[in-house]
Amino acid sequence: MTVPSKAQAAYPDRPVRLILPFPAGGTVDVVARLVAANLGQQLHTQFVVENVPGAGGTIATARVARSEADGYTVLFTTPNHTINPSIIAKLPFDTEKDLVPVSLVAQIPELVVANGNQPFTDFKGFVAYARAHPGKLDYASAGAGTLPHVTMELLLQKLDIKVTHIPYKGAAPAMNDLLGGQVALKMDTIATSAPQIGTGKLRPLAIASLKRSPLMPDVPTVAESGVPGYQATLWMGMLVPKGTSPAIVSTLNAAITAVSRQPAYQKQLEAAGVESVVTGPDAFRTLIHQEIGQWADVVRKSNIKAQ
C-alpha cells in the first residue's frame, strides 16, 4: 500500500522576514518598508522588516546566509554586499555562493555635488580645477569603504586626478561639513541633496547614471561629461539563502515585478527620489559578480581599508 505524501502548503503561508543591514529611518529603510507592504498585499501574507545593522552589513547577511532555505528569510541589501569582500578580510559567508539573487528592486543614482562657494560651477570646471591644484580639493564620505567613497575613488581613477578623501562617521556629519564649506565635494543622492541644492548651498555637478534623471533633467551625467560608461548607483535588491528552491525564487521575483508595475508604488518611490528597477535572478547575479571585481580593483589601487 502506498502512503500518500503530506501535502505542502503553497508558498508563502506565513510571515516572511525581510532582513535589512541598516538602522531604521534612512532611505533604504523607507524603500524596504514600502516593498514589504506591497509584497505582502501581492502574496497575501505579511512581510516584516527587521533592521540588523552593524559590521558594514555582514551581521545581517550572515544571519540570512545561515537561515533555512525556505523563502521565509530574505535579505534586502545594497552595494555594501559587493564592496565588503574587498575590505573585510574574513567574511563569515561566501558572498556569491551562500546567497541566491532574487531581483533588484530599486536604485538611486549618485550625484556629484559641491559646496556652493567653490571656484567652479560645473563638472568640467571641477576637473580642470583639480588638475591645476592636485590634492587641494577634498571630498567627504560617510566612512572608508562606503559606497560614496569607492564610487568617488573609481571616478578619480578614471579621471586621473587627485582629490583628498575625508571620511566621517556617517552621512549626516559629512553633509554638515560639506554645507559648512569644510570640504568641497561629496558623492550624494538626489534624495538627500535636493533640498540644499534648492537653497543654493550645494551645486550639482553631474549625476552618475547612464541617462539624465527626470528629477534633475538639467544636470548632465558623468558619462556625457567626459567619463564614458561611468555609473554609480545605490541599488537595492533581495537575496535568499543558497538551496532555496527555484520555485520560491520565481514566486518572489514575479511578485516584485507585479508590484513594480503599480502606478501608486512608482509614485511613492519617485517621491523619495528613488527609481523602480526589476531584474531576473541571472541579471542580478551578473551585476553582483561584476561589482565584486570592480570594487576589488578600486580598493587595491586606492589602498582602502575598512574602518
Side-chain angles (χ1 to χ4, degrees), residues 14-20 32-33 36-37 40 45-51 72-74:
R14 54 188 171 90
V16 177
R17 296 187 304 152
L18 203 61
I19 308 298
L20 183 66
R33 292 178 188 280
T45 192
Q46 186 178 14
F47 276 69
V48 181
V49 174
E50 293 187 16
N51 300 92
Y72 290 98
T73 305
V74 179

Side-chain angles (χ1 to χ4, degrees), residues 200-224:
K201 292 181 179 179
L202 295 183
R203 182 178 291 124
L205 303 182
I207 193 163
S209 50
L210 291 180
K211 60 182 181 180
R212 294 194 183 200
S213 169
L215 298 176
M216 288 188 176
D218 295 331
V219 178
T221 66
V222 173
E224 71 182 275

Side-chain angles (χ1 to χ4, degrees), residues 178-215:
L178 177 65
L179 292 170
Q182 283 81 14
V183 289
L185 301 148
K186 187 178 186 297
M187 190 73 82
D188 206 70
T189 67
I190 290 178
T192 51
S193 293
Q196 304 300 337
I197 290 171
T199 66
K201 292 181 179 179
L202 295 183
R203 182 178 291 124
L205 303 182
I207 193 163
S209 50
L210 291 180
K211 60 182 181 180
R212 294 194 183 200
S213 169
L215 298 176

Side-chain angles (χ1 to χ4, degrees), residues 74-113:
V74 179
L75 179 67
F76 190 94
T77 194
T78 67
N80 68 286
H81 189 68
T82 56
I83 296 168
N84 283 338
S86 298
I87 63 172
I88 298 177
K90 293 183 179 180
L91 289 173
F93 51 83
D94 186 302
T95 303
E96 294 189 84
K97 294 180 180 178
D98 290 344
L99 293 138
V100 176
V102 173
S103 177
L104 284 177
V105 173
Q107 64 182 17
I108 309 174
E110 294 204 283
L111 184 70
V112 184
V113 293

Side-chain angles (χ1 to χ4, degrees), residues 11 16-21 35 39 47 57 60-82 93-105 235-244 248-249 252-253 256 279-289 292:
Y11 171 84
V16 177
R17 296 187 304 152
L18 203 61
I19 308 298
L20 183 66
V35 168
L39 279 178
F47 276 69
T61 306
R63 179 177 297 187
V64 175
R66 295 168 182 157
S67 296
E68 292 293 325
D70 55 9
Y72 290 98
T73 305
V74 179
L75 179 67
F76 190 94
T77 194
T78 67
N80 68 286
H81 189 68
T82 56
F93 51 83
D94 186 302
T95 303
E96 294 189 84
K97 294 180 180 178
D98 290 344
L99 293 138
V100 176
V102 173
S103 177
L104 284 177
V105 173
W235 54 256
M236 296 165 238
M238 301 190 306
L239 302 98
V240 290
K242 71 175 180 180
T244 302
I248 289 175
V249 173
L252 287 168
N253 184 274
I256 193 60
T279 62
D282 288 343
F284 190 16
R285 182 178 294 106
T286 297
L287 172 68
I288 289 170
H289 181 74
I292 288 173

